[in-house]
Amino acid sequence: MSVVPGLVGTGILIVGLFALGRILAWWFTQSDGLTARQRSVHDNLTFLVPVAVMIAVPALFSIGDELLGTGPNLATALLNSAIATAVVVIGLASAMRGFRPFISTLPMVEGELSRRRWRVTVFQIALILFVAVVIELGALYAATPASIAIGVVLIASIGWLSSEIFAYPSMCPSIRFGIRRPTTAERDKIEQAYDRLDISFPDGIEITVNNDAERMAVLENGDQRFLACSDSLLSSVTADTLSVAIAHAEGRAAHGLSPLQKARGWTQMWTLVVGIWAVFAAGIDTGLGGAFKIWTAVLVTLLILVTLLIASWSQERVHLGDEYTVEHAAPSAVAAIYGNPEKRPRFLHLRDDFDKDLLNATFGKLFTEPTMNERLEHLGLGDNSRDGQTDLDATNPDNSA
């Protein structure tokens, strides 16, 4: 591809992404609140567009070949990677520029969540460069370039999906539609919960907007603590449930559960990436020898072993977090909320029980947390979690959000 067509293609891409962002911004600002359909479109495009662009651009733009005046070699491959990365970043920045009319309508306070968002941006730019280099070097050196295609798609997809893993603790609410400070009523409710729990009040509280996932996390920055939670959680729970949720989030942070859960998620994802790519590559290139199969099997086995080890450590941390919760919240409240799926916020329990004990035992080796029944038994609350009402709720039926 010569320089001129490459530059023309670059201009079309950038203008197209800007126009897409402007169209979406117009659509999203037509109503006072986002509908479920609008949220779904936003989330799908936020994932699909960057992945598609970062895969397509390195394969389409080969301006470096013309600039250096040489055939394909390592220098042109690296130059093409740098050019493609710049084009992708500029293109996505243009899309965000077009999206700005909608972004400007969102509450976006400067705080711990917004600071961590910059880490996501840095990781994503590094991911774009990595994908560009893999595509260029794969096309240059791979015996069957098609065999790298599925690997690039998997790496780009999982990398983009997991980019926030580096910046945010597990169960942290999404900041896709804005961050705000708590209202006076919300702050009073949270203060009352911390007073009941006898836990020091955090240095800051940040509420994510239009967030339909009930999540809560304690973010730590040096000796400072910040409570982040979804607006849907605060509006849907009783004072008792909120107290247990806060105690649980504080316990997770105090015992460092989040890094282990994130590490376990990464090892699982990469096990799938290596496994699927190996099957695809072997299907394309039937000449791959036994060494390829052996090393693939060894790598997948190592990843599974690491996953099992991390899961074992994590389950110990879950128990410590639950013990912390019981130490600060009333055991009767913990038992009632942990044991009642209708009252229990989803982030308190990430794993469902199976009907068969064998399945529970098998999957228990892979998951980062025990079943809820096992957690209650560990706390000595197994027999007290059957009724769905706490002492406070029984004496004060009006105690609701």
Side-chain angles (χ1 to χ4, degrees):
M1 179 179 291
S2 65
V3 175
V4 174
L7 294 176
V8 172
T10 299
I12 293 174
L13 174 70
I14 292 173
V15 172
L17 289 173
F18 175 83
L20 176 63
R22 186 51 57 94
I23 291 171
L24 290 174
W26 173 82
W27 181 40
F28 289 155
T29 53
Q30 293 305 296
S31 55
D32 294 334
L34 290 177
T35 66
R37 180 179 179 82
Q38 287 174 320
R39 288 198 299 267
S40 177
V41 169
H42 173 278
D43 293 344
N44 289 331
L45 289 178
T46 299
F47 165 64
L48 292 175
V49 169
V51 170
V53 171
M54 80 166 71
I55 292 172
V57 168
L60 294 177
F61 291 89
S62 301
I63 301 175
D65 296 346
E66 294 294 328
L67 291 177
L68 293 182
T70 61
N73 56 33
L74 180 59
T76 57
L78 295 178
L79 180 58
N80 284 332
S81 300
I83 293 172
T85 300
V87 171
V88 173
V89 172
I90 293 172
L92 295 179
S94 299
M96 295 302 295
R97 183 83 177 182
F99 205 53
R100 180 171 290 183
F102 171 67
I103 296 177
S104 63
T105 67
L106 303 178
M108 196 67 70
V109 301
E110 290 296 327
E112 187 62 21
L113 286 173
S114 60
R115 284 195 295 270
R116 289 173 182 246
R117 190 169 54 171
W118 284 106
R119 302 181 195 176
V120 177
T121 302
V122 171
F123 173 84
Q124 290 173 345
I125 293 175
L127 175 65
I128 292 169
L129 178 59
F130 177 75
V131 168
V133 171
V134 169
I135 291 176
E136 293 290 339
L137 296 184
L140 185 62
Y141 294 111
T144 55
S147 65
I148 70 168
I150 187 66
V152 169
V153 173
L154 289 170
I155 291 171
S157 302
I158 292 180
W160 198 268
L161 280 173
S162 59
S163 59
E164 294 188 358
I165 287 180
F166 279 115
Y168 303 103
S170 59
M171 293 298 101
C172 187
S174 170
I175 61 173
R176 52 192 173 154
F177 300 124
I179 318 166
R180 62 174 175 82
R181 301 297 184 193
T183 64
T184 302
E186 289 171 338
R187 185 177 179 85
D188 290 342
K189 184 188 295 186
I190 294 172
E191 284 183 343
Q192 291 172 8
Y194 271 96
D195 288 340
R196 293 173 59 191
L197 297 170
D198 195 24
I199 299 176
S200 60
F201 197 71
D203 297 283
I205 301 171
E206 298 177 12
I207 312 296
T208 59
V209 179
N210 209 356
N211 194 335
D212 52 353
E214 295 182 348
R215 291 189 171 190
M216 175 182 288
V218 174
L219 297 82
E220 297 180 331
N221 186 359
D223 58 352
Q224 292 187 316
R225 293 174 17 259
F226 301 87
L227 181 69
C229 63
S230 313
D231 55 356
S232 58
L233 177 65
L234 284 179
S235 63
S236 63
V237 298
T238 65
D240 246 11
T241 303
L242 180 61
S243 295
V244 172
I246 289 175
H248 176 79
E250 290 281 1
R252 288 165 57 90
H255 292 287
L257 177 60
S258 181
L260 288 175
Q261 286 190 320
K262 293 192 291 186
R264 173 258 186 181
W266 265 88
T267 55
Q268 279 190 323
M269 288 187 295
W270 283 111
T271 302
L272 290 174
V273 167
V274 173
I276 294 174
W277 174 80
V279 171
F280 182 87
I284 288 179
D285 186 359
T286 56
L288 291 174
F292 172 82
K293 299 175 183 178
I294 291 174
W295 282 109
T296 300
V298 168
L299 182 55
V300 170
T301 301
L302 288 175
L303 286 170
I304 292 175
L305 291 176
V306 172
T307 301
L308 292 173
L309 182 61
I310 293 174
S312 176
W313 292 339
S314 298
Q315 290 182 9
E316 297 177 6
R317 298 286 181 176
V318 170
H319 288 314
L320 290 174
D322 289 338
E323 292 170 8
Y324 181 99
T325 304
V326 171
E327 289 173 4
H328 292 85
S332 60
V334 175
I337 293 165
Y338 271 36
N340 189 337
E342 295 181 358
K343 282 191 172 185
R344 185 174 64 226
R346 179 61 182 170
F347 81 94
L348 291 178
H349 181 220
L350 303 181
R351 179 186 166 197
D352 294 323
D353 293 327
F354 294 96
D355 293 335
K356 303 295 184 180
D357 291 337
L358 178 60
L359 285 176
N360 278 321
T362 302
F363 281 93
K365 304 297 185 182
L366 295 172
F367 281 79
T368 54
E369 65 175 69
T371 65
M372 186 55 76
N373 287 336
E374 291 170 344
R375 292 166 63 183
L376 288 168
E377 291 294 337
H378 176 81
L379 295 172
L381 301 174
D383 296 333
N384 299 325
S385 63
R386 304 303 174 221
D387 66 53
Q389 192 175 48
T390 66
D391 295 339
L392 177 61
D393 289 334
T395 58
N396 185 8
D398 294 329
N399 182 26
S400 59

